[in-house]
Amino acid sequence: DGKNVYLRDIWPSTEEIAQTVQSSVLPEMFRKTYESITKGNPMWNELQVPAEKLYSWDPNSTYIHEPPYFKDMTMDPPGPHGVKDAYCLLNFGDSITTDHISPAGNINKDSPAAQYLVQRGVERKDFNSYGSRRGNDEVMSRGTFANIRIVNKLLNGEVGPKTVHVPTGEKLFVFDAAERYKAAGHATIVLAGAEYGSGSSRDWAAKGPMLLGVKAVISKSFERIHRSNLVGMGIIPLCFKSGEDADTLGLTGHERYTIDLPNKISEIKPGQDVTVTTDNGKSFTCTARFDTEVELEYFNHGGILPYVIRNLINKQ
């Protein structure tokens, strides 16, 4: 009739909707759908389903691999640990992001991760990305600190995912250097500037360094979530005192570092001072960035994952 029509004029009432549903949405519709749900896709139906209740790890898979977090785990918490005579794996400046630490993009053809995949018969066109292979710790540990734009002071300004193996002076991919340190029984630490771990939260930015054998990160400041993630993986987060950093303290990264933590968790308090000494006689004080009692409890249990599993086991 030439009059405006509004939504309120045509919107059905609650009673009308209920009546339509009751008369139109019938149980038989659902029965038919669910009765045929296993018949509609032959490829899906042909998949082999193991009878075991636990996941059966495929050792040949390059996408999903059983991680080593719980290897050698015991019911007794390991307690707090200091660091003795650790080498510096990397020496960074400011604003190292989680993508610098654990990139999610393409896997470079010359990287340790690429070598791992090639050795397992994966063609270069099928490398995919770190993000797609985040279920394989072997790939992701090799991808830790593998960002091609990373700047490590140990390389005197050279850009790329390598570092100096301090005992030999050799320039190696970060993963290869870390493996050498671990094979020789040496712990490692990371030196950094301000805003370490900035950017989007990425769990592998904490898991990767742990798998490489990093025991502590000493920086001017941390991104909040990344600092907590480090604690969750048993890595000690330390902050230089105000006005200090690696450069002002004359640290080059070629020293060996000892971090003096109490042996009893009851003697460690959130935000307490910790002494760090080097093998060339330098000594400086840092703030231990365990910010809550809960984080200290995680650290006492060797990290959040073992802690959670122990609690589940104890409740059983």
Side-chain angles (χ1 to χ4, degrees), residues 246-287:
D247 292 337
T248 62
L249 292 169
L251 304 173
T252 66
H254 289 82
E255 307 87 356
R256 298 185 71 174
Y257 294 80
T258 295
I259 299 170
D260 186 20
L261 273 184
N263 293 324
K264 295 181 179 178
I265 197 67
S266 60
E267 297 176 3
I268 305 176
K269 303 300 179 186
Q272 79 173 56
D273 285 348
V274 171
T275 300
V276 181
T277 57
T278 66
D279 61 334
N280 60 0
K282 293 183 184 294
S283 179
F284 54 97
T285 302
C286 290
T287 302

Side-chain angles (χ1 to χ4, degrees), residues 25-216:
V25 183
L26 304 175
E28 187 60 28
M29 296 164 55
F30 294 91
R31 291 194 190 99
K32 285 183 178 179
T33 298
Y34 286 100
E35 281 175 359
S36 61
I37 200 166
T38 59
K39 302 174 184 176
N41 190 330
M43 292 178 64
W44 176 263
N45 295 334
E46 289 171 5
L47 290 175
Q48 297 298 313
V49 180
E52 295 84 2
K53 291 184 177 181
L54 295 178
Y55 181 76
S56 180
W57 299 98
D58 179 2
N60 297 317
S61 173
T62 57
Y63 278 97
I64 301 176
H65 182 263
E66 183 177 10
Y69 308 124
F70 307 123
K71 186 178 180 181
D72 301 325
M73 187 183 76
T74 64
M75 292 301 294
D76 298 320
H81 58 82
V83 178
K84 184 173 177 59
D85 291 332
Y87 284 99
C88 178
L89 182 62
L90 295 141
N91 183 4
F92 292 130
D94 296 339
S95 300
I96 293 297
T97 69
T98 50
D99 194 70
H100 286 120
I101 303 168
S102 183
N106 292 337
I107 298 173
N108 188 282
K109 63 182 179 64
D110 299 320
S111 66
Q115 295 171 19
Y116 170 86
L117 293 173
V118 168
Q119 289 169 2
R120 281 150 186 80
V122 179
E123 296 184 34
R124 182 179 172 185
K125 64 182 179 64
D126 297 322
F127 280 179
N128 214 324
S129 65
Y130 287 111
S132 70
R133 294 186 180 274
R134 65 194 307 277
N136 188 319
D137 61 283
E138 296 282 4
V139 173
M140 297 304 289
S141 60
R142 286 164 172 78
T144 303
F145 299 114
N147 190 304
I148 61 173
R149 294 179 179 84
I150 208 163
V151 179
N152 172 18
K153 293 181 183 180
L154 288 173
L155 294 178
N156 299 317
E158 182 181 334
V159 180
K162 293 189 176 182
T163 192
V164 172
H165 180 249
V166 174
T168 63
E170 290 183 72
K171 184 172 72 173
L172 303 169
F173 282 108
V174 176
F175 174 80
D176 294 334
E179 287 295 288
R180 279 206 194 177
Y181 285 127
K182 287 201 299 181
H186 300 310
T188 55
I189 60 112
V190 171
L191 294 175
E195 301 174 341
Y196 183 79
S198 58
S200 61
S201 177
R202 193 168 293 175
D203 60 334
W204 270 108
K207 292 194 290 189
M210 184 274 280
L211 292 177
L212 293 188
V214 173
K215 302 301 182 185

Side-chain angles (χ1 to χ4, degrees), residues 89 167 173 223 237 290 305 308:
L89 182 62
F173 282 108
E223 191 279 331
F290 303 111
L305 292 174
V308 171

